[in-house]
Amino acid sequence: MATFAKPENALKRAEELINVGQKQDALQALHDLITSKRYRAWQKTHEKIMFKYIELCVDMRRGRFAKDGLIQYRIICQQVNVNSLEEVIKHFMDLSTKRAELARSQAQALEEALDVDDLEADKRPEDLMLSYVSGEKGKDRSDRELVTPWFKFLWETYRTVLEILRNNSKLMALYADTAHRAFQFCKQYKRTTEFRRLCEIIRNHLANLNKYRDQRDRPDLTAPESLHFYLDTRFEQLKVATELELWQEAFRSVEDIYGLTSMVKKMPKSSLMAIYYAKLTEIFWISSSHLYHAYAWFKLFQLQKSFNKNLNQKDLQLIASSVLLAALSAPPYDHLKTASHLELEHDKERNLRMYNLIGFNIDAKLETREVLSRSSLLADLVSKGVMTYVTQEVKDLYHLLENEFLPLDLASKVQPLLTKIAKLGGKISSASSVPEVQLSQYIPALEKVATLRLLQQVSQVYQTMKVETLSKMVPFFDFSAVERISVDAVKHNFIAMKVDHMKGAIIFGDLGFESDTLQDHLSVLAINLNKSRSLIYPSQSKASKLSAMLPSLADIVDKEHKKLLARKSIIEKRKEEQERHLLEMEREEETKRLKLQKKTEEAEQKRLATEFEERKHQRILREIEEREREEAQALLNDVGKRIKKKGKKPIIEGEKVTKQSLMELAMQEQVRERQEMEKKMQKLIKTMDHFERAKREEAAPLIEAAFQRCLAEEKIRHEREQQLEVELSRERHEGDLKEKYRLARVMEHKMELEEKVVSRRKAEYDRMRAEREERLGQILKARKEERDLKRKMLFYLKTEKERLDKLREEEEARKREEAERRKKEEAERRAKLDEIAERQRKREQELEERERLRKEAILRGTPLDGPTRPSELPAPTPAPAAAAAAAPAAAAASAAGSGGGKYVPRHRRGAPAETAAPPPAQPPSDRWGSGKPEERGAAPPGDKWRPSSFGSGSAGGASGGAGGKSWSSSRFSR
C-alpha cells in the first residue's frame, strides 16, 4: 500500500499511471487513499479524487470497487459536505448511463443483444459452448458481448447507489431520483426480473427503516418532504408495473402505498389517489375480480367529480357509464354460500383486506367494516346520484337486468343495447388519470349476467323447457357455454335446474336429491311410530269418587289450607335462598367467564400471529418453488426446442424432471452439437483450403503479367518527370542570374547608406551612454550622502538613549537609598518611642502605689514622714556646664515627643541650638500638694509636661509629646 504526504500526490500519481496505460495500478492507488484512515478530513481534493476514481471504475467496469469507494467517501463527507457525495453519485450514474447508451448505439439489434432473462445470472452452459463452437461470426452474439456487460454494470450501479442512500435523510431526493431511473431502465428494456428485484430492494429498505429506529441519519417518515419522496417512488413503481404487465408486483405496490400511508396516518394528494384507483381498476379487471373492479371505478368517479375541474360533461358521462357497467358485470350471486369454513375464513380476510385497499381507510376498525357486495354497490350508485350521469343505453340496460321481469324477451332486448354500448368510448381530458375508456370490454361479462338473469326468471315461470327453446332465447352463446354458466350458478345456489340430455329437456325447481331425502329419515320414522301408538292405545279416564269424600271435605280443606300456607312460607324461604345462591353462582360464573374470555383472546392473538407467520413462510416457500418451477420449465422448453429441431422425440411435459436432470440433458445435447459442429468445421476448412489453393494457382500468372505492365508504365512516367524537372531547373537558374546582375548595380549606394546609418547610430549611442553614466553618478552620490546622514542619526539616537538610561538608573539608585534610609530612621524612632512609653508606664505605676499608701496612711491617721520614694527627694543643683548641656537635649526630646515635631537623630542631638533656658523646676507640692482630683487631673493652662519633675534633665525623663501627654492624663483622670 503506497502512502502519500498529501491527497494531491495520489491524484498526480494516478494520472501518471493512466498516461502509461496502468489503469489497474492507478485504481488501486486511489482506492488505498480513500480507504485509509489517515485522510478522513474532507477536502476539495477528495472530490476530484473521487471523480477520477469513479471514471476508472466505470472504464474498467469495477462495480465492487465503486461501491467500496462510495461507502468510504460517505463516511468522510457525511457530516461535513454531503452535497459533494451527491455530486459524485450523480457523476457515477451519468457515466454508467452514457457508456451503456454508447454500447447500445454501437449494437444494431438491441432486442437480440438483450435477450437475457437475468442480468445477475452467470452465463449458461449452452451459451458458453455455442460461443466456443461458432466463434465471432454471429451478429447477435457479438452484440451480446458488447451490450450486455454494460447494461449489467448499469444495473449494478443503480443497486449500489440505492444501497448507499437508503438511510440518508439528507439525500432523499437523490434516492428517489435513482429509483425513478432504475424504473425507467426496466421499462425501456423490458427487464421484468430486474424490476421484481428492484421492488423487493425498495420494500426491504422501508422495512429496515422501521425496524432499526435508532440510526443517526434515519429519514423521518412523518416529515412531509420524506413522505412525498417515498409516495412518489411507490406510485412510479405502480405505473411501471402496470406498463410491464406485472400485475402481481402492481398489486404489491398498491399494498405498499396503503401500508406507507397507514404508517404515517396521512392521506396522499387527490391527484395521486386518482392514479391509485385507476391502476386498481386495471389490476382487478385483469384478475377477473369484477366486484372489486366496480368499487375501484366508483371511488375513481367520486375523486374525479370532486377534484378534477377540467372534466366536461361528456367525460363525466363516460366515467359514470363505466362505473355502472362495471357494477352490472359482477356476478349476481354470492360465492360463499357453499364454501367450507376454511374458505369462509380465508375469503373474509380477503374481503377485509380489499375493503381497506379500496376504501383507503387508514384508521378503520374491524367492527366498522362493511361487506362488499353487488347489491350494496348498486344501491350506493343510485343513492349517490351516479345514475343521473350515465348514458341512456346504459340506464336502460340497468333497468332490464335489475328491475324488469321479462323471461322470454330479456335477451332480445338486451342484445341491441349491448351493440350500442360496444361503440361508446373515447379519450378523456388530459387532466384525468384514465387517458381512455372503452365500454366494449364489459360486453362479455354483461352477456353472462344477462344469461344468468334469463335463467333465473325462466326458472320462476317454467318447470321444464326444451334445450332448443332455451338456445333460441340466448343469442349470445351456444348451449355448451350456457350449460357451463348454469353449472356455476347451480353450484352457488343461484338457480335450481337439471339438464336431461337424453330427453333434450331442462328441468327447473327443487329437484329433491336423494341425499336431502335420506338426511332425516330416522326422525321422521320415530314421529310416525309415535302417532300410530297413540291411535292404537288411547289413554283411559279414571272414575270420580266425589261422593265418598263429601263428609270430611271441610276438615280436609282446612288442613290443606294450613299445609298450603306452611308450604308457601317454606317455598318463599327456599326461593330467597335459591336466589341468593343463584346470585353468587352468577358472580362466580361471570368471573370465570371474564377470565376464560381473556385467555381465549390471548390464545386467539397467538393463533393469529402463528398463522400469519406460517402463511408468510408458506408464501416464501411457494415463491421459491414457483421460481424453481419456472426455471425448470424454461430449461425444459429450451431443450425441447433443440430436440425438435434435430427431429428427435421431445420430453413429455407430464414427466417429473428436475432442474439438475434438465441441466445434464442440456449439457449432453450441447456436447453432441459441439462435436457435430466440429466435424462440419473440419470439413468446411478442408473445402476452403482446396478452394483457396486452386484460386491462388490460377491467379499467379495474371498477377505476374499485371506487375510487368505496371513496371513499364512506371519507368516511362519516371523518365518524363525527370526531363520536366531538368527543364524547370534550367529556367530557374537563368532567372536567378538576371536578378543578380540587376542588384549588382546598386551595391555602392547600399554601402554608402549603411555607413551613414551606422555613424549616426554610434553617435546617438555615445551620447546616451554619457548621460546614463552621469545620471548613475548623481544617484550614487545621493545614496552615499543619505547613508552618511542615516549613520549619524543612528549614532546620535544610540548615544542619547545610553545617556537617558544612565540618568534613569542613577535616579532609581538614589530613590532606593533614600527609601532605605527613611525606613531605617523610622525603625529607630519607633524603638525610641517604645522605650519612652515603657518608662512612662513604670512611673505611673510608682505614682499609683504612692497615692495608695498615702490614702491608707490618711485613713489610719498616721502622717507620712518625708518622701516615700527616692524620686521625690529634691534634686541637687546641677553645675552650669551640665545645665547648659542638658538644655539642648531636653529641647530636642520635647520636639521629638510632639506630634508635629521633626525627628532629630542621636548624632545631631548634641549640636548647639538657640534654645531658651529651661523653666525653673517646680516643687512637687505645686503639682501634687493639694490632693484634690480637679487639681491632679488637669495641668495649668499653657503648661506642658515637664520632665524635670521626675528627673534631673535626662533624656529618659522627657515628655512623650502630645501622645504621651494624652495617655498619662487619661491614666491620671482614672
Side-chain angles (χ1 to χ4, degrees):
M1 174 179 175
T3 57
F4 301 96
K6 295 181 180 180
E8 295 87 350
N9 299 340
L11 184 60
K12 292 178 181 178
R13 178 60 178 166
E15 291 177 351
E16 292 172 358
L17 292 172
I18 292 172
N19 292 333
V20 297
Q22 298 180 5
K23 292 186 177 181
Q24 180 62 37
D25 296 337
L27 179 64
Q28 188 63 42
L30 294 179
H31 182 267
D32 293 341
L33 177 75
I34 294 168
T35 56
S36 176
K37 294 183 180 179
R38 183 179 177 183
Y39 309 101
R40 286 298 173 88
W42 185 86
Q43 302 175 12
K44 187 65 176 177
T45 311
H46 282 83
E47 186 173 346
K48 298 179 181 178
I49 291 172
M50 283 303 300
F51 282 149
K52 181 62 68 176
Y53 180 78
I54 290 299
E55 290 173 2
L56 287 174
C57 291
V58 173
D59 288 339
M60 303 174 66
R61 291 203 297 268
R62 297 298 178 90
R64 294 186 181 275
F65 272 82
K67 183 177 181 180
D68 192 12
L70 287 174
I71 290 174
Q72 296 297 327
Y73 191 63
R74 180 185 63 182
I75 296 172
I76 293 173
C77 66
Q78 175 67 35
Q79 305 299 329
V80 181
N81 187 5
V82 76
N83 293 327
S84 177
L85 177 62
E86 182 178 2
E87 294 297 328
V88 170
I89 290 176
K90 286 183 178 178
H91 184 63
F92 182 34
M93 290 194 295
D94 292 340
L95 281 179
S96 302
T97 306
K98 288 179 182 177
R99 293 303 296 267
E101 291 296 331
L102 181 61
R104 175 176 171 268
S105 63
Q106 292 175 358
Q108 297 181 0
L110 179 61
E111 296 297 329
E112 291 81 357
L114 292 179
D115 188 15
V116 181
D117 294 332
D118 189 355
L119 289 178
E120 293 186 359
D122 295 333
K123 292 184 178 180
R124 295 181 298 177
E126 56 268 23
D127 298 331
L128 291 173
M129 292 184 177
L130 284 174
S131 64
Y132 295 152
V133 172
S134 58
E136 297 295 332
K137 292 184 178 181
K139 181 66 170 63
D140 54 349
R141 193 163 295 107
S142 63
D143 291 341
R144 179 191 300 275
E145 292 295 329
L146 180 64
V147 177
T148 304
W150 280 110
F151 277 87
K152 184 185 292 186
F153 180 76
L154 180 59
W155 167 245
E156 290 179 359
T157 300
Y158 291 140
R159 290 191 58 176
T160 300
V161 174
L162 290 175
E163 185 67 24
I164 290 173
L165 302 177
R166 60 190 178 93
N167 290 330
N168 200 325
S169 59
K170 299 177 182 179
L171 297 178
M172 285 299 300
L174 184 58
Y175 179 85
D177 181 60
T178 306
H180 286 214
R181 284 192 179 191
F183 288 143
Q184 294 303 320
F185 168 77
C186 298
K187 172 186 172 183
Q188 184 177 359
Y189 303 111
K190 303 295 187 295
R191 308 308 308 174
T192 57
T193 305
E194 283 72 24
F195 180 77
R196 292 191 186 96
R197 287 177 181 164
L198 180 61
C199 296
E200 195 63 30
I201 288 170
I202 296 176
R203 201 171 290 118
N204 291 335
H205 287 175
L206 182 60
N208 293 332
L209 193 66
N210 296 324
K211 185 177 180 181
Y212 306 105
R213 295 179 178 270
D214 55 347
Q215 296 177 352
R216 182 174 59 182
D217 298 322
R218 173 183 174 273
D220 186 11
L221 294 179
T222 58
E225 185 177 2
S226 300
L227 181 62
H228 169 71
F229 285 134
Y230 273 95
L231 282 178
D232 193 17
T233 304
R234 295 309 186 279
F235 275 102
E236 184 67 21
Q237 174 182 331
L238 178 60
K239 291 178 183 178
V240 176
T242 53
E243 291 177 2
L244 292 176
E245 296 183 356
L246 298 175
W247 304 110
Q248 186 176 3
E249 283 299 328
F251 184 73
R252 294 181 71 183
S253 302
V254 168
E255 289 183 327
D256 291 342
I257 294 171
Y258 174 73
L260 187 60
T261 51
S262 301
M263 190 185 307
V264 298
K265 305 295 182 184
K266 189 175 181 180
M267 292 289 291
K269 297 179 181 179
S270 58
S271 59
L272 296 178
M273 290 304 300
I275 298 174
Y276 174 83
Y277 284 116
K279 300 304 178 183
L280 266 184
T281 56
E282 297 182 23
I283 295 170
F284 287 140
W285 181 255
I286 293 297
S287 63
S288 300
S289 301
H290 297 91
L291 181 60
Y292 301 144
H293 172 77
Y295 268 102
W297 257 118
F298 182 43
K299 289 287 185 179
L300 180 60
F301 170 76
Q302 290 178 334
L303 274 175
Q304 295 286 357
K305 182 182 175 183
S306 302
F307 299 102
N308 195 350
K309 305 302 181 182
N310 297 325
L311 285 178
N312 51 29
Q313 188 65 26
K314 180 181 178 182
D315 296 338
L316 198 62
Q317 188 179 31
L318 197 57
I319 296 175
S321 301
S322 299
V323 174
L324 185 56
L325 289 178
L328 292 175
S329 300
Y333 48 78
D334 189 3
H335 292 272
L336 304 178
K337 288 186 177 180
T338 59
S340 62
H341 177 70
L342 183 61
E343 292 176 350
L344 287 172
E345 290 294 330
H346 179 69
D347 205 84
K348 180 181 179 182
E349 183 181 354
R350 181 170 176 266
N351 283 334
L352 293 176
R353 183 180 173 190
M354 294 303 165
Y355 178 80
N356 288 332
L357 292 179
I358 296 173
F360 216 83
N361 300 318
I362 58 178
D363 291 324
K365 296 182 179 179
L366 185 62
E367 293 79 4
T368 60
R369 292 172 180 165
E370 302 174 358
V371 179
L372 303 179
S373 62
R374 183 177 185 270
S375 58
S376 62
L377 177 59
L378 291 174
D380 288 342
L381 294 181
V382 175
S383 61
K384 296 295 177 59
V386 180
M387 302 295 294
T388 58
Y389 295 98
V390 300
T391 59
Q392 187 62 36
E393 293 84 359
V394 178
K395 194 179 297 185
D396 294 341
L397 180 64
Y398 167 74
H399 287 295
L400 283 175
L401 294 178
E402 299 299 325
N403 299 328
E404 299 292 338
F405 187 80
L406 301 169
L408 298 178
D409 301 334
L410 180 63
S412 60
K413 292 186 176 182
V414 166
Q415 189 174 12
L417 292 176
L418 294 180
T419 305
K420 294 180 181 179
I421 291 172
K423 299 178 182 179
L424 297 178
K427 294 184 178 180
I428 310 298
S429 61
S430 59
S432 175
S433 59
V434 182
E436 187 176 3
V437 174
Q438 295 295 337
L439 302 182
S440 58
Q441 62 178 348
Y442 299 106
I443 299 302
L446 291 172
E447 291 176 349
K448 182 178 178 180
V449 172
T451 304
L452 287 172
R453 287 297 184 192
L454 186 143
L455 291 174
Q456 184 188 26
Q457 295 178 8
V458 168
S459 65
Q460 296 175 5
V461 177
Y462 297 96
Q463 289 185 352
T464 58
M465 179 179 286
K466 291 184 178 181
V467 173
E468 293 82 1
T469 305
L470 183 62
S471 299
K472 294 178 181 179
M473 292 172 61
V474 183
F476 314 122
F477 309 105
D478 54 1
F479 184 71
S480 60
V482 174
E483 189 174 7
R484 285 194 297 270
I485 295 172
S486 62
V487 168
D488 196 17
V490 170
K491 177 182 177 182
H492 296 94
N493 293 332
F494 182 69
I495 57 176
M497 59 177 288
K498 183 171 70 173
V499 180
D500 192 347
H501 289 280
M502 294 181 66
K503 298 179 180 179
I506 301 172
I507 304 171
F508 297 101
D510 191 3
L511 306 178
F513 296 104
E514 293 180 358
S515 60
D516 298 335
T517 306
L518 298 176
Q519 187 175 3
D520 53 355
H521 64 283
L522 291 177
S523 60
V524 173
L525 177 61
I527 293 171
N528 293 333
L529 289 175
N530 194 12
K531 289 180 180 180
S532 301
R533 188 185 62 80
S534 62
L535 291 175
I536 295 173
Y537 302 103
S539 59
Q540 297 179 358
S541 60
K542 298 181 179 179
S544 176
K545 298 180 179 180
L546 184 59
S547 58
M549 299 174 62
L550 286 176
S552 57
L553 185 59
D555 298 335
I556 293 172
V557 169
D558 293 336
K559 291 179 181 180
E560 291 294 331
H561 181 64
K562 291 178 181 179
K563 289 182 180 179
L564 289 174
L565 290 175
R567 187 170 177 268
K568 183 178 180 182
S569 62
I570 293 170
I571 289 173
E572 291 295 332
K573 292 180 180 180
R574 288 182 178 177
K575 282 183 178 180
E576 291 177 358
E577 292 178 358
Q578 186 70 19
E579 288 177 357
R580 192 181 303 108
H581 184 63
L582 287 175
L583 287 174
E584 293 178 357
M585 291 181 65
E586 286 179 359
R587 291 194 192 97
E588 292 178 358
E589 289 179 357
E590 183 67 20
T591 305
K592 292 180 180 180
R593 187 184 63 80
L594 292 176
K595 292 182 179 179
L596 182 62
Q597 183 179 0
K598 186 176 180 181
K599 290 182 180 179
T600 306
E601 290 177 355
E602 293 177 355
E604 183 66 19
Q605 290 178 358
K606 291 181 180 179
R607 185 186 64 82
L608 292 176
T610 306
E611 289 182 355
F612 176 75
E613 293 295 333
E614 290 179 357
R615 285 197 299 272
K616 183 178 179 181
H617 183 64
Q618 291 177 1
R619 180 177 62 81
I620 294 172
L621 291 178
R622 284 198 303 270
E623 290 179 356
I624 293 172
E625 292 176 357
E626 184 178 355
R627 192 179 298 113
E628 290 182 354
R629 192 182 303 112
E630 290 177 356
E631 293 176 358
Q633 187 65 31
L635 288 174
L636 182 64
N637 296 335
D638 193 6
V639 173
K641 290 179 181 178
R642 293 179 181 278
I643 294 176
K644 285 181 180 178
K645 288 180 180 179
K646 300 298 180 180
K648 296 184 179 181
K649 182 180 178 181
I651 298 175
I652 302 175
E653 294 290 337
E655 294 180 358
K656 293 183 178 179
V657 290
T658 61
K659 184 178 179 180
Q660 186 64 28
S661 61
L662 288 173
M663 290 292 293
E664 292 177 357
L665 183 60
M667 185 67 73
Q668 294 174 2
E669 182 67 21
Q670 289 160 9
V671 170
R672 188 184 59 78
E673 290 181 357
R674 185 181 65 179
Q675 293 175 355
E676 293 180 357
M677 186 61 68
E678 288 178 354
K679 292 179 181 179
K680 291 181 180 178
M681 288 298 296
Q682 291 294 335
K683 185 177 179 181
L684 182 60
I685 289 170
K686 189 180 291 185
T687 304
M688 292 298 295
D689 189 12
H690 290 297
F691 178 72
E692 187 67 22
R693 187 181 303 166
K695 189 169 61 176
R696 290 186 180 183
E697 289 177 356
E698 292 293 331
L702 298 177
I703 293 173
E704 182 66 24
F707 173 72
Q708 295 297 332
R709 186 171 56 255
C710 291
L711 189 62
E713 292 176 357
E714 290 291 334
K715 185 176 180 180
I716 295 171
R717 187 184 300 110
H718 174 69
E719 293 175 355
R720 185 171 61 250
E721 290 178 355
Q722 188 175 7
Q723 184 67 26
L724 182 62
E725 184 66 25
V726 170
E727 293 177 357
L728 290 175
S729 298
R730 187 179 292 109
E731 292 177 357
R732 284 197 296 269
H733 179 66
E734 292 176 356
D736 292 340
L737 289 177
K738 291 178 181 179
E739 186 68 18
K740 179 182 178 181
Y741 296 150
R742 188 179 65 83
L743 294 176
R745 291 178 297 175
V746 296
M747 180 59 69
E748 295 179 358
H749 301 283
K750 178 253 183 187
M751 296 301 292
E752 294 176 358
L753 179 63
E754 184 177 355
E755 290 177 357
K756 291 180 180 180
V757 171
V758 169
S759 61
R760 185 173 63 251
R761 289 184 180 180
K762 185 177 181 181
E764 183 71 18
Y765 170 73
D766 294 339
R767 183 183 61 79
M768 292 177 68
R769 182 177 180 180
E771 291 178 355
R772 178 176 176 277
E773 290 178 353
E774 184 180 358
R775 186 169 61 254
L776 288 176
Q778 293 176 358
I779 292 172
L780 292 175
K781 184 178 181 181
R783 287 182 181 178
K784 184 177 179 181
E785 293 176 355
E786 184 179 357
R787 283 197 304 271
D788 294 341
L789 181 61
K790 186 175 181 182
R791 190 181 302 111
K792 292 178 181 179
M793 181 61 67
L794 290 175
F795 177 75
Y796 172 74
L797 292 175
K798 182 179 178 181
T799 307
E800 186 68 18
K801 182 179 179 183
E802 290 176 355
R803 187 181 66 80
L804 293 177
D805 291 343
K806 185 176 180 180
L807 291 176
R808 185 169 59 255
E809 289 175 359
E810 291 176 355
E811 182 68 19
E812 289 177 356
R814 188 183 61 78
K815 288 181 179 179
R816 284 197 301 270
E817 291 177 357
E818 184 69 21
E820 290 177 358
R821 184 179 61 79
R822 289 179 181 178
K823 187 175 181 182
K824 187 176 180 181
E825 291 176 355
E826 182 69 19
E828 292 176 355
R829 188 178 67 83
R830 289 183 179 276
K832 188 67 176 176
L833 291 176
D834 292 340
E835 183 180 357
I836 294 171
E838 182 66 23
R839 292 179 181 178
Q840 184 71 20
R841 186 180 59 78
K842 290 180 180 180
R843 290 192 186 97
E844 288 177 356
Q845 288 179 357
E846 292 177 358
L847 290 175
E848 288 177 358
E849 181 67 22
R850 180 176 175 280
E851 183 67 21
R852 185 181 62 77
L853 293 176
R854 190 181 64 79
K855 286 181 180 181
E856 289 179 357
I858 291 171
L859 291 175
R860 287 195 305 269
T862 57
L864 295 171
D865 296 334
T868 59
R869 298 185 65 181
S871 61
E872 295 179 359
L873 294 177
T877 304
S894 64
S898 63
K902 184 177 180 182
Y903 173 74
V904 180
R906 184 182 296 272
H907 65 279
R908 296 182 63 184
R909 289 178 188 173
E914 297 179 358
T915 58
Q922 196 171 9
S925 60
D926 293 340
R927 187 170 181 82
W928 310 104
S930 63
K932 295 180 182 180
E934 61 272 10
E935 292 179 357
R936 293 194 306 270
D943 189 16
K944 297 196 176 190
W945 193 264
R946 288 185 293 272
S948 60
S949 301
F950 301 95
S952 57
S954 63
S959 174
K965 179 183 177 182
S966 62
W967 177 78
S968 61
S969 299
S970 63
R971 293 292 301 270
F972 292 152
S973 65
R974 287 198 301 271

